[in-house]
Amino acid sequence: MSMMDPSEEFPEEDIQTIVKPAIAQLLNGESFKPSKVNDWCNTIIDTCLKELQSLSKPYKYVITCLIMQKNGGGMTTSAACYWDGGKDGKTRVPFENDTMNCIVTVYGLSV
């Protein structure tokens, strides 16, 4: 098993630094509005993808965004991936305010 160059490791901390503000800048102070959810998800994903590309890491990224109204119901997500655990990775960034929950998941697939 060869050692991976540290500059090519899955950049989880960098991703967190990109995703957290992308969510907060858009959703802080907002109330859940079903008519805006698609636009919010698309904006968060587009913002994150642009910033992730600027990292110039050897990864292809897949981003999911889930926004759900807080109404007392539960929310569960799960994922299964078949990949190289030594190179590929994922990170999940949760956000909540008084009216909604948001979970953004970023998957990085080494190229």
Side-chain angles (χ1 to χ4, degrees), residues 10 15 19 48 52 61-64 83 89-93 104-108:
F10 182 70
I15 292 170
V19 176
C48 292
L52 288 169
Y61 297 100
V62 177
I63 302 175
T64 64
W83 60 21
K90 74 161 184 63
T91 188
R92 176 180 127 328
V93 181
V104 174
T105 306
V106 179
Y107 302 88

Side-chain angles (χ1 to χ4, degrees), residues 10-18:
F10 182 70
E12 186 168 353
E13 288 180 19
D14 294 336
I15 292 170
Q16 294 272 336
T17 302
I18 288 168

Side-chain angles (χ1 to χ4, degrees), residues 56-103:
S56 298
K57 298 284 186 175
Y59 286 91
K60 290 185 180 183
Y61 297 100
V62 177
I63 302 175
T64 64
C65 179
L66 170 68
I67 297 176
M68 182 175 161
Q69 182 177 16
K70 273 189 180 177
N71 60 7
M75 177 171 69
T76 303
T77 65
S78 64
C81 302
Y82 182 74
W83 60 21
D84 182 344
K87 294 180 181 179
D88 303 331
K90 74 161 184 63
T91 188
R92 176 180 127 328
V93 181
F95 169 89
E96 69 177 281
N97 65 19
D98 292 338
T99 64
M100 67 183 118
N101 290 301
C102 175
I103 298 175

Side-chain angles (χ1 to χ4, degrees), residues 5-41:
D5 179 352
S7 67
E8 294 181 6
E9 290 179 5
F10 182 70
E12 186 168 353
E13 288 180 19
D14 294 336
I15 292 170
Q16 294 272 336
T17 302
I18 288 168
V19 176
K20 285 180 183 179
I23 299 168
Q25 289 172 0
L26 191 63
L27 299 182
N28 272 342
E30 292 285 347
S31 294
F32 182 82
K33 295 177 187 83
S35 62
K36 288 191 167 187
V37 170
N38 283 338
D39 288 338
W40 287 336
C41 285

